[in-house]
Amino acid sequence: MTSNPPLFNRVAFIGIGLIGSSLARAIRKYHLAEHISISTRRQETLDTAKALNLGDSYTKDPAEAVIDADLIVICTPMGAFEAVAKAIAPALKTGAIITDVGSVKSTAVKDILPHLPAGVHLVPGHPIAGTEHSGPEAGYADLFPGRWCILTPIEDHESDAVEKVKALWLACGAKVEIMTPDHHDRVLAITSHLPHLIAFTIVDTAAQLAEDTQKEVIQFSASGFRDFTRIAASDPVMWRDVFLSNKEAVLDILGRFRDDLDQLTTAIEDGDGALLEETFARTRAIRRSVIDEKQHIPDSKPPKKS
Ligand code: NAP
């Protein structure tokens, strides 16, 4: 997983939270760039990134960060993508590659592409890896090995720009899959977005219960509820942006989920044990396939410095 000479001369990060700092750490670890420049919105985060030695140069100005960069990785919440694209566009060099790590790919195309000058390549990406923690201290270089990174290129899939972004993720230990932005958004609506929405709902419902009951919920949370609380602790701004960006696919899958929930509700009302058992046997088999694919180990680990 080492690269010699490095894949890129200069890589710029716009946003250096959990995902940006994990990728910056991996780029350092595997020596994939000569120079890493880092830009983030708040001075406090910039100071933390510097203290953690995540890059070689630091600035609050995104346009300054991208000067001479061969690769720019946008790692902010998706609600900031358009403003970031507008801010960096005039400073991009011809031939530069822009990628991102946003969780909804049609948004990356809609909000970034129209602002890019000719001669700059957009290769949207989404690493399917993460934890419920945020900020530069939460990242770690080994977040990506064994995880999928989905690229949704709009230009020729065989182009140099796509190949270079693919090589970056492979060098960080990820597995790479290529698909269209819309297909990505439909797949992620069921595998990630709906489960998060369910977790947010269950935990919020519990939180609204009478105080006595709420204490019991926390006290006896060792069973299924505990896993929901971990998912529901995910970053509120990021998840607000996911649901606003992937509205259509999420609403579609939510409709199908409601139908299935109604069916199980009716089975409980009618005492239809056979239907319940049949459904649970199917879902148990799916868990086995997830294990076979080695996608069952959670990414979540306590924030650590590396
Ligand atoms: P994070 O830890 O909260 O870091 C966000 C970064 O973006 C920080 O550097 C923050 O800067 C900056 N930022 C926040 N709001 C901004 C704004 N309005 N304008 C400019 N910069 C802003 O976030 P993250 O978890 O790394 O997520 C980043 C991206 O990765 C998101 O698009 C998300 O969809 C995607 N993603 C997340 C996960 C996950 O599990 N978390 C997994 C895959 C993909 P300051 O701290 O300086 O304000």
Side-chain angles (χ1 to χ4, degrees), residues 130-269:
T131 73
E132 70 277 24
H133 304 294
S134 303
E137 283 160 314
Y140 51 101
D142 290 330
L143 180 61
F144 308 113
R147 296 305 191 203
W148 286 101
C149 179
I150 300 178
L151 301 182
T152 63
I154 39 219
E155 55 187 67
D156 178 5
H157 292 190
E158 310 283 313
S159 77
D160 284 355
V162 176
E163 287 302 324
K164 286 200 91 171
V165 176
K166 187 174 170 182
L168 171 74
W169 286 107
L170 291 175
C172 293
K175 303 187 279 185
V176 174
E177 180 80 43
I178 292 187
M179 55 180 76
T180 65
D182 284 351
H183 186 67
H184 166 279
D185 294 351
R186 282 199 304 276
V187 171
L188 270 288
I190 178 64
T191 57
S192 169
H193 307 167
L194 182 65
H196 275 81
L197 194 66
I198 292 168
F200 291 132
T201 312
I202 289 177
V203 174
D204 197 44
T205 303
Q208 287 177 34
L209 290 178
E211 215 198 331
D212 279 1
T213 322
Q214 198 191 111
K215 273 187 195 145
E216 286 176 359
V217 167
I218 306 290
Q219 189 178 346
F220 300 118
S221 65
S223 50
F225 187 70
R226 178 178 50 198
D227 291 340
F228 281 114
T229 60
R230 183 182 64 74
I231 297 171
S234 300
D235 187 69
V237 172
M238 170 188 153
W239 283 97
R240 176 202 67 191
D241 290 353
V242 166
F243 292 112
L244 294 179
S245 305
N246 204 18
K247 186 173 162 180
E248 215 173 286
V250 168
L251 289 179
D252 181 48
I253 210 68
L254 201 52
R256 294 177 62 162
F257 174 73
R258 275 211 195 92
D259 292 344
D260 289 347
L261 196 58
D262 284 347
Q263 205 186 11
L264 286 185
T265 308
T266 308
I268 295 169
E269 278 167 0

Side-chain angles (χ1 to χ4, degrees), residues 13-196:
F13 281 87
I14 312 298
I16 193 76
L18 168 72
I19 301 296
S21 74
S22 295
L23 187 57
R25 284 173 167 97
I27 288 175
R28 266 230 197 287
K29 180 172 175 179
Y30 302 118
H31 192 48
L32 304 172
E34 285 293 353
H35 185 103
I36 299 175
S37 80
I38 289 176
S39 172
T40 188
R41 182 179 52 168
R42 291 179 300 139
Q43 187 61 45
E44 190 189 332
T45 308
L46 201 63
D47 291 344
T48 305
K50 200 169 183 176
L52 292 168
N53 194 29
L54 297 177
D56 302 292
S57 60
Y58 305 85
T59 171
K60 276 179 69 187
D61 180 0
E64 187 187 325
V66 305
I67 292 171
D68 266 342
D70 311 290
L71 178 74
I72 296 94
V73 194
I74 303 178
C75 299
T76 67
M78 290 176 296
F81 277 13
E82 186 163 27
V84 167
K86 282 182 181 166
I88 63 174
L92 295 168
K93 75 171 180 186
T94 304
I97 303 169
I98 313 271
T99 189
D100 74 301
V101 295
S103 309
V104 180
K105 294 328 307 162
S106 48
T107 299
V109 178
K110 178 174 71 65
D111 290 350
I112 300 172
L113 189 62
H115 305 289
L116 301 183
V120 168
H121 310 278
L122 176 65
V123 184
H126 177 207
I128 315 291
T131 73
E132 70 277 24
H133 304 294
S134 303
E137 283 160 314
Y140 51 101
D142 290 330
L143 180 61
F144 308 113
R147 296 305 191 203
W148 286 101
C149 179
I150 300 178
L151 301 182
T152 63
I154 39 219
E155 55 187 67
D156 178 5
H157 292 190
E158 310 283 313
S159 77
D160 284 355
V162 176
E163 287 302 324
K164 286 200 91 171
V165 176
K166 187 174 170 182
L168 171 74
W169 286 107
L170 291 175
C172 293
K175 303 187 279 185
V176 174
E177 180 80 43
I178 292 187
M179 55 180 76
T180 65
D182 284 351
H183 186 67
H184 166 279
D185 294 351
R186 282 199 304 276
V187 171
L188 270 288
I190 178 64
T191 57
S192 169
H193 307 167
L194 182 65
H196 275 81

